[in-house]
Amino acid sequence: MGRRPQPRIRQVLLAACTDELLRTGLSGLTLSSVARAVGTSPRMLIYHFTTRDALVRDMLHEARRQQRDLFGDILAPQAGRTYGEVLTDAWSRLTQADALAYTRLFREVHDLPPERSPWPEFRRISIEDWLPVAEAGLRADGHQAPGDLATLLVAAFRGLLLDRDTTGDHERTTAAIQALASLL
């Protein structure tokens, strides 16, 4: 008789593997390298996740869940503050080292051709997830039809995060976010 699944161990392994994925990125990731980094064996990872591809998908979904938890709160409307103020503060948090790990990882996933991606739907989901958050903030600020403006905000944030990650120019990209926020 085989061992029974142990959800708690699986969850602990998934958290540790996801931390490793955020630290190193997707390219060059092997089952052995992840196992070594989290102090287990490839065999144990296969036991809990069935395949390397399933593990990678689970790690990406977990990283996305963590990102949404982290960023969703700071991008949500806040009583007594304009949404422009919320966005300016959110930018400061989104550009800290731990938050940029998500930006780098998901940029890597986004840049993969769909046929090679471990999460082919990610491109669409990565936009659609944030539109309701931006719309809620804009609606709380009194915008009557926030849909188009939410699309602009999501695109601007994504583009400026990519710009900052590529160029390292925090000062210029922060000024751009402040300018955008002042237009609201």
Side-chain angles (χ1 to χ4, degrees):
M1 221 165 133
R3 289 175 49 175
R4 292 181 179 208
Q6 298 170 310
R8 178 71 187 126
I9 292 173
R10 185 184 190 282
Q11 191 57 40
V12 168
L13 283 171
L14 180 59
C17 291
T18 302
D19 289 346
E20 178 64 10
L21 178 64
L22 285 165
R23 190 181 70 74
T24 63
L26 195 56
S27 64
L29 183 80
T30 66
L31 204 53
S32 295
S33 67
V34 173
R36 195 170 33 259
V38 302
T40 193
S41 68
R43 184 173 174 231
M44 188 58 64
L45 292 177
I46 293 297
Y47 171 76
H48 285 284
F49 298 96
T50 68
T51 66
R52 177 199 177 274
D53 291 344
L55 172 61
V56 169
R57 275 191 305 276
D58 286 354
M59 288 187 300
L60 288 171
H61 285 272
E62 176 61 14
R64 185 64 172 174
R65 185 199 61 74
Q66 290 174 12
Q67 182 194 41
R68 289 191 63 199
D69 287 352
L70 175 66
F71 296 171
D73 288 344
I74 62 174
L75 289 168
Q78 298 171 13
R81 302 189 70 215
T82 68
Y83 201 54
E85 292 168 332
V86 170
L87 292 175
T88 300
D89 287 349
W91 178 259
S92 295
R93 179 64 184 100
L94 293 172
T95 56
Q96 291 176 5
D98 64 326
L100 287 173
Y102 295 100
T103 301
R104 289 186 187 107
L105 172 62
F106 291 125
R107 174 182 172 192
E108 189 177 358
V109 174
H110 184 276
D111 289 349
L112 289 171
E115 65 275 4
R116 288 191 43 232
S117 177
W119 192 359
E121 307 84 17
F122 176 74
R123 289 179 180 193
R124 177 184 46 77
I125 290 168
S126 69
I127 295 168
E128 291 174 351
D129 276 356
W130 297 114
L131 290 174
V133 175
E135 285 181 29
L138 293 164
R139 193 172 290 107
D141 238 11
H143 294 273
Q144 298 303 310
D148 293 340
L149 193 51
T151 297
L152 175 63
L153 285 177
V154 169
F157 260 79
R158 288 170 56 99
L160 288 167
L161 282 168
L162 173 63
D163 182 333
R164 186 197 181 282
D165 189 47
T166 302
T167 66
D169 193 338
H170 183 68
E171 188 175 310
R172 180 178 52 79
T173 54
T174 298
I177 284 293
Q178 291 168 342
L180 178 62
S182 72
L183 295 174
L184 297 177

